[in-house]
Amino acid sequence: MTPVTDGKSNLRFIQEAKPRMGLADYIWLSQDGTHIEAKTLPICVFPNEEPRLPPCTISMPDPEHPRTLRQLMLSPAHYLPDPLRPQPSYIVLCEVRDQKGHPVPWCNRANLRQLLPTGDGPDPYWWGIHQFWDTKSPEKNCSLGEVHIRACLDSGLLIHDVCLSRSVRLWPSFKIGPRGFPKEVDVDPPSALVVGDHLWIARYLLARLARAEGQDPHLSEFPLTLFFSTAATRESSFATRQLEPILLKSPVRSFGGSVQTLMASPKCFYVRMDLLKAYDPYVAMGSVLEALKEKESEKDPKD
């Protein structure tokens, strides 16, 4: 006897089991470290599976032979849902590698990885970044900022807070860093790589939203403040009070500016960087880690 089946249930099962097509924006930092490049690819996403994001190639001018193009590879490093497109769509931050799979010298994300603990050791610090921005139409900043924060939250970025004002004299800004939410909400810890990745994705979303309104966001004219806390004080979050300066042997150079002051308190550290252009947070965090290692070596009598 032929079993009786529910045609609608079978159709629903087929639809759920069928892979869905989407788009992925592969993004990477430009060679001069001042803006993001993007390449959009169609992707196939299977039900109950992580998206398959294979490496892809790009062509860039050869520094030694400007008229010659060389093939480089985009290696996906961090991805999040794209809140501005129908799902499944993703924003995929990539490291740029050569044809042998080695990071190119100007891939500062890979350079930062070399400064972090090797193996399974966690990042000993939790990080946060305060980003100011502006547009050529300040009167529209408030509405743009509201759309941007919603997109960042929908994407899963570690948005700590947002400062928006209808006054054209106040710069809008947002912070990325530890929020104290459960692990079910904040799956990724605010490590150096994660916070750097989230900042660039937040900048990318801001640029897309601004250009859709005929605007162009400016990041380079404003100082960026960087925070980090030790493993013993992970409950801290952007604490900036009662800070005592730690004197550095020399200013830490970083993309057109320097770390002017490295300060510490029992809860967290605070670094203010006044830079002349939009810079790479991976470089900034790497500079701070190098400064801390230098100070630790000075304390060790063996060194």
Side-chain angles (χ1 to χ4, degrees):
M1 182 177 179
T2 304
V4 178
T5 60
D6 182 354
K8 294 183 178 179
S9 299
N10 287 344
L11 179 60
R12 187 181 305 111
F13 173 79
I14 294 174
Q15 290 176 341
E16 292 177 353
K18 183 179 179 181
R20 300 177 61 190
M21 297 299 295
L23 294 174
D25 279 1
Y26 280 46
I27 64 174
W28 67 97
L29 194 61
S30 62
Q31 188 167 350
D32 61 3
T34 60
H35 63 280
I36 281 184
E37 305 282 357
K39 180 176 182 178
T40 303
L41 299 175
I43 58 173
C44 184
V45 182
F46 291 84
N48 302 320
E49 291 186 12
E50 295 294 324
R52 302 178 184 182
L53 303 170
C56 70
T57 58
I58 56 173
S59 298
M60 297 188 65
D62 191 329
E64 299 180 358
H65 307 281
R67 296 184 179 181
T68 304
L69 294 178
R70 61 171 177 166
Q71 295 292 315
L72 297 175
M73 182 173 63
L74 298 179
S75 178
H78 194 124
Y79 69 89
L80 290 171
D82 187 341
L84 306 181
R85 286 198 178 110
Q87 298 303 310
S89 294
Y90 297 91
I91 300 173
V92 186
L93 190 138
C94 302
E95 291 186 0
V96 182
R97 300 174 180 267
D98 59 24
Q99 290 298 312
K100 295 182 180 180
H102 303 301
V104 295
W106 47 271
C107 181
N108 294 318
R109 188 183 191 278
N111 297 335
L112 176 61
R113 283 195 288 105
Q114 303 301 319
L115 298 173
L116 298 176
T118 57
D120 297 330
D123 187 343
Y125 301 105
W126 279 10
W127 300 79
I129 296 179
H130 190 184
Q131 172 73 72
F132 292 91
W133 57 275
D134 196 10
T135 65
K136 294 181 179 179
S137 300
E139 67 278 2
K140 298 182 179 180
N141 286 348
C142 189
S143 59
L144 176 60
E146 291 175 354
V147 177
H148 177 245
I149 180 60
R150 184 70 261 172
C152 289
L153 292 175
D154 290 343
S155 185
L157 295 175
L158 294 174
I159 292 292
H160 179 276
D161 65 70
V162 175
C163 180
L164 298 175
S165 174
R166 297 192 180 277
S167 172
V168 297
R169 297 181 179 181
L170 297 179
W171 300 328
S173 66
F174 60 88
K175 295 179 183 177
I176 290 181
R179 305 186 292 187
F181 291 166
K183 293 183 179 179
E184 292 78 10
V185 178
D186 290 345
V187 179
D188 296 321
S191 62
L193 289 176
V194 169
V195 168
D197 294 347
H198 282 210
L199 178 65
W200 276 115
I201 294 176
R203 287 174 170 179
Y204 176 67
L205 287 173
L206 179 62
R208 283 175 59 185
L209 290 167
R211 288 166 186 162
E213 297 184 5
Q215 301 294 321
D216 187 16
H218 299 280
L219 304 172
S220 60
E221 300 174 2
F222 305 101
L224 184 147
T225 305
L226 190 150
F227 304 80
F228 59 104
S229 60
T230 61
T233 59
R234 293 244 166 122
E235 73 281 357
S236 64
S237 178
F238 292 110
T240 58
R241 298 180 180 178
Q242 298 179 352
L243 299 175
E244 297 179 359
I246 297 177
L247 299 180
L248 297 178
K249 180 179 296 185
S250 61
V252 181
R253 304 302 303 175
S254 173
F255 258 87
S258 64
V259 179
Q260 294 186 339
T261 311
L262 177 59
M263 311 183 77
S265 75
K267 287 190 174 182
C268 81
F269 299 90
Y270 169 90
V271 180
R272 183 176 179 84
M273 300 181 181
D274 293 318
L275 305 179
L276 301 179
K277 60 182 179 180
Y279 67 95
D280 189 344
Y282 306 127
V283 175
M285 290 184 282
S287 298
V288 174
L289 289 175
E290 289 177 342
L292 291 173
K293 289 183 178 180
E294 181 180 351
K295 293 188 65 64
E296 289 297 327
S297 64
E298 291 176 356
K299 295 179 182 180
D300 191 344
K302 296 180 181 181
D303 299 334

